[in-house]
């Protein structure tokens, strides 16, 4: 997703299973170490409740930026979810 300059975006996902939202700049090298270092998120990821709304807020810098926003769950969970983005 392209984030406009100097703008705060909030991404929310709602599901009947435990999920987490995280994001990293699209220019991040494709390696686990680089992505983990650049990663923003999991800030609202709670162990309980195990389902419901999760959110992540990102604020872009002085220029527009491309980011990858990820919705993730544990390997034993999953299913449909609804995602919202506001700015």
């Amino acid at each position: 997703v392209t984030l406009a300059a100097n703008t705060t975006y909030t991404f929310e996902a709602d599901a009947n299973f435990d999920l987490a939202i995280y994001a990293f700049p699209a220019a991040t090298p494709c390696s686990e170490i680089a992505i983990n270092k650049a990663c923003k998120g999991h800030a609202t990821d709670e162990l309980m409740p195990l389902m419901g709304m999760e959110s992540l807020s990102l604020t872009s810098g002085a220029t527009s930026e491309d980011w990858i926003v990820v919705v993730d769950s544990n390997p034993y969970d999953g299913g449909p979810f609804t995602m919202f983005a506001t700015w």
Side-chain angles (χ1 to χ4, degrees):
V1 65
T2 300
L3 306 182
N6 300 310
T7 304
T8 298
Y9 292 79
T10 300
F11 299 93
E12 297 177 312
D14 192 17
N16 289 325
F17 59 93
D18 187 28
L19 56 78
I21 302 172
Y22 60 94
F24 54 91
T28 302
C30 192
S31 75
E32 181 179 358
I33 293 170
I35 290 171
N36 284 336
K37 185 175 180 180
C39 196
K40 306 288 184 214
H42 298 290
T44 64
D45 190 34
E46 304 277 340
L47 293 177
M48 295 299 284
L50 293 176
M51 60 184 72
M53 188 75 73
E54 293 286 344
S55 66
L56 171 67
S57 292
L58 296 172
T59 301
S60 60
T63 61
S64 64
E65 303 170 3
D66 291 332
W67 282 71
I68 296 174
V69 178
V70 180
V71 176
D72 198 4
S73 68
N74 71 55
Y76 309 105
D77 242 347
F81 63 90
T82 303
M83 183 136 192
F84 306 94
T86 57
W87 57 94

